[in-house]
Amino acid sequence: VTEGIGADYFDGRSARAWPVRLRRDGERLRIRSDGLDLSVPLRDVVWPERTRHDVRVAELPAGASLHSADASAWDAFARQCGQRDTLVVRAQRSWRWVLASLAALAVLLAAIYQWGVPIAAQAALAFVP
Amino acid sequence: MSEPGILASAPLQLEASRPVPVGPRRFRLDIQFTGSGSEYFRIWIVNLLLTLVTLGVYYPWAKVRRLHYFYGNTLVGRHPLGFHANPRRMLRGYALVGLLLALYSAAGRVSPTAGLIAFVLVASLWPALLQASMRFRLANTSWRGLRFRFHGTMSGAYRALLPLLVPGALIGGALVGVPERDHPPPWYGLLTLAALGLLGLLLPWLWWGLKKYEHDHYAYGPEQTRLRSGPRSFYAVFAKTAGVGLVTLVAVLVVPLAMQFFGATGLRFGDAQRAQVLAAVLSVAVFALTAVSVQLVPQPYFTSGMQNLLWSRTAGRAVRFKSTLAFWPLLRLTLKNWFLIALTLGLYWPFAAMATTRMRVEAVRVVMWVDPHILADIARAAERDAAGDAAGDMFGLDIGF
């Protein structure tokens, strides 16, 4: 079996790594090696969020998982399987979004200090017998 | 949910039924931490903003993201740890614990008796929450596709934790007996002092009991760890930490003496005003230095001593850990971290967290007398209750991976 990208397959019951090849097969993910041929619906795969360094780990049903140390190959494959970054992941990956979040955080903290603390103090006073 | 194709995969199940042979060959697994400060900074900022905007509801999602990042970048023998908790479940746990704490603080306002009853109630639930928390955390942590397990029983948790609550109950109980709360009688002050002293003397023993409970029950595949240490080594770490604190305090107090000397020299030369300003500036600096050094120096000393003791004495049938976390590098790192955190008004925090985690995690090595490849799970961990995880975090109890 040589087609598709390489990954390690773990069945969730033993710590053995099975080198496998992954391929998209319509709406299913095909996992193959010598002596192993699995097919999982794409929607049942829990895809990993994209970060910079770490090993990509996708969770399959029944505790099984796929590990890939080649992040760029994995990300290309995930895109090919219709995976898109969530809004949070996109925000985390962009310095512009992060700086905007930081500014929003500063404004929010200032607002809480200005108006939130007196309101909370009033509320607490009302409870004290 | 389960996919028949996976359950039926015949070649994969052969390994599970075979007993694990323990051989003379050693497998040394180094631990590597690949987390980066700038990347964690971005995760941290987005987490903070979303948690604040949602009034805390997002917190479990933030926590899962954070742990996912820490675990995913911890490579044990080149394989990352995995974290699989369901944030929605954790939210329920946090809601439960939040309710408990709200009731507790409300009861304290009503009367000391109600406060004591609430304390006893929360205290009697606490060990159960810790046990559930450990089970939840371990059951949601994986390595090489296998989940960890926690085998500690609930009665074990009560045995380990209840002695910790005795001094608190003593003080609370005495408070009920005090007629005028604004002018407590002298015996009340003495009793409080005695309870605190007792707590100080017993703390290493209590800490040992808690850690023994935790480290005696970590399980992975067919392995279960034990803590091979008595309370004496714990007393040694606590005593040495106290010694380091004392030495630091003395060293810091030498500075004001030198300052007075220089202040006096200034006076002798007639420059009185300058000497006074100098003295004022120096005394502020000394105060800050004293407050800071009591915390900053002993804390990394305790961290390194305790981590080395705990992990070097933790072992299973075919697995051993070795921790060699040196004090001086950790002290230098801690000082640098706090300096930069103060300088950047807290924004350096995620970078500090990454650097500290790297140093602490990479100081640990794992030695196995069995090929990790052939380890298999004997029984899948079933219990996954989020309430405990929430509680463990809120009370500041967390395992130090």
Side-chain angles (χ1 to χ4, degrees):
Chain A
V1 187
T2 54
E3 62 192 344
I5 70 158
D8 279 337
Y9 173 81
F10 291 91
D11 69 351
R13 284 183 296 274
S14 86
R16 160 149 286 173
W18 298 81
V20 292
R21 309 292 300 180
L22 307 177
R23 185 166 63 81
R24 183 180 178 173
D25 189 3
E27 283 309 299
R28 298 177 80 84
L29 175 66
R30 197 76 184 271
I31 304 163
R32 299 180 69 185
S33 78
D34 303 326
L36 176 75
D37 189 353
L38 303 168
S39 166
V40 181
L42 280 178
R43 60 169 195 286
D44 287 352
V45 178
V46 181
W47 295 88
E49 293 184 341
R50 288 203 297 147
T51 49
R52 196 158 47 178
H53 302 289
D54 64 356
V55 176
R56 299 287 190 267
V57 178
E59 290 178 58
L60 303 175
S65 57
L66 292 166
H67 295 215
S68 166
D70 185 350
S72 58
W74 176 274
D75 290 344
F77 178 69
R79 268 197 302 280
Q80 195 196 315
C81 291
Q83 272 308 298
R84 297 285 171 268
D85 286 341
T86 59
L87 206 61
V88 173
V89 172
R90 260 184 287 163
Q92 283 169 357
R93 289 179 65 86
S94 132
W95 275 105
R96 192 178 302 166
W97 271 96
V98 167
L99 290 179
S101 301
L102 187 60
L105 205 58
V107 170
L108 211 60
L109 285 176
I112 287 172
Y113 183 74
Q114 179 71 35
W115 296 293
V117 172
I119 290 172
Q122 290 264 298
L125 268 181
F127 272 103
V128 173
Chain B
M1 266 304 278
S2 76
E3 180 67 15
I6 286 175
L7 288 174
S9 54
L12 310 184
Q13 280 185 328
L14 285 177
E15 308 294 334
S17 52
R18 219 182 282 159
V20 177
V22 176
R25 211 183 135 196
R26 300 206 318 171
F27 297 84
R28 246 192 67 167
L29 308 178
D30 285 321
I31 305 187
Q32 198 195 348
F33 187 73
T34 56
S36 100
S38 71
E39 187 168 35
Y40 182 54
F41 175 81
R42 286 175 283 153
I43 294 173
W44 183 67
I45 288 287
V46 173
N47 271 347
L48 269 181
L49 180 68
L50 288 175
T51 305
L52 212 60
V53 165
T54 57
L55 302 174
V57 173
Y58 184 76
Y59 181 70
W61 279 265
K63 183 170 180 184
V64 167
R65 275 224 161 72
R66 173 165 59 88
L67 287 176
H68 214 273
Y69 190 74
F70 275 85
Y71 283 25
N73 281 298
T74 304
L75 306 180
V76 183
R78 291 189 290 112
H79 288 276
L81 296 176
F83 187 63
H84 311 272
N86 178 353
R88 215 166 294 158
R89 227 176 226 162
M90 287 166 76
L91 185 62
R92 274 187 303 204
Y94 283 116
L96 187 74
V97 171
L99 194 73
L100 266 177
L101 286 186
L103 283 177
Y104 175 61
S105 67
R109 288 226 181 98
V110 174
S111 77
T113 316
L116 183 68
I117 291 170
F119 175 80
V120 168
L121 251 165
V122 169
S124 59
L125 278 175
W126 186 26
L129 289 176
L130 171 78
Q131 190 240 5
S133 157
M134 296 297 293
R135 281 167 71 138
F136 180 76
R137 174 58 72 88
L138 272 284
N140 281 303
T141 302
S142 73
W143 181 62
R144 298 184 70 119
L146 277 192
R147 299 289 178 104
F148 289 82
R149 300 183 308 279
F150 184 70
H151 285 169
T153 59
M154 196 176 283
S155 59
Y158 276 91
R159 274 197 304 274
L161 281 182
L162 277 185
L164 263 170
L165 305 168
V166 170
L170 215 63
I171 297 172
L175 197 59
V176 176
V178 171
E180 274 181 276
R181 266 203 291 163
D182 294 335
H183 305 284
W187 63 262
Y188 175 71
L190 282 176
L191 189 79
T192 309
L193 218 63
L196 286 179
L198 188 71
L199 184 66
L201 275 180
L202 292 183
L203 196 61
W205 176 68
L206 298 170
W207 190 251
W208 168 77
L210 176 63
K211 287 298 153 188
K212 184 152 178 61
Y213 172 69
E214 291 178 358
H215 284 242
D216 267 357
H217 299 107
Y218 295 144
Y220 178 84
E223 286 289 318
Q224 180 170 342
T225 61
R226 291 259 176 272
L227 181 65
R228 292 170 182 172
S229 166
R232 192 185 294 182
S233 313
F234 280 67
Y235 270 96
V237 172
F238 273 82
K240 278 192 252 175
T241 305
V244 167
L246 211 64
V247 168
T248 314
L249 195 65
V250 169
V252 166
L253 286 180
V254 168
V255 179
L257 295 177
M259 175 198 78
Q260 277 201 330
F261 173 75
F262 284 120
T265 339
L267 273 176
R268 204 173 299 150
F269 285 102
D271 199 354
Q273 215 169 8
R274 218 176 80 186
Q276 270 177 345
V277 169
L278 190 73
V281 167
L282 276 179
S283 52
V284 169
V286 163
F287 177 75
L289 214 62
T290 312
V292 150
S293 64
V294 168
Q295 167 68 20
L296 281 194
V297 180
Q299 189 251 327
Y301 186 84
F302 183 77
T303 301
S304 68
M306 194 45 79
Q307 175 175 319
N308 291 342
L309 169 64
L310 272 176
W311 285 103
S312 297
R313 303 274 182 90
T314 298
R317 205 168 48 96
V319 61
R320 234 193 53 210
F321 299 88
K322 180 86 192 149
S323 171
T324 47
L325 181 61
F327 167 57
W328 287 109
L330 186 65
L331 175 66
R332 274 200 301 276
L333 182 67
T334 308
L335 293 176
K336 179 188 147 200
N337 281 345
W338 283 111
F339 176 71
L340 288 172
I341 285 172
L343 204 68
T344 56
L345 303 174
L347 289 181
Y348 187 73
W349 167 254
F351 296 86
M354 285 294 113
T356 310
T357 306
R358 170 166 303 133
M359 185 173 284
R360 288 190 62 181
V361 159
E362 291 190 348
V364 181
R365 264 178 293 126
V366 187
V367 179
M368 296 178 91
W369 282 271
V370 51
D371 190 343
H373 248 82
I374 63 167
L375 288 175
D377 211 342
I378 29 179
R380 288 284 291 278
E383 203 62 44
R384 287 185 202 156
D385 188 358
D389 191 60
D393 197 47
M394 246 176 178
F395 291 110
L397 289 160
D398 214 338
I399 49 173
F401 254 119

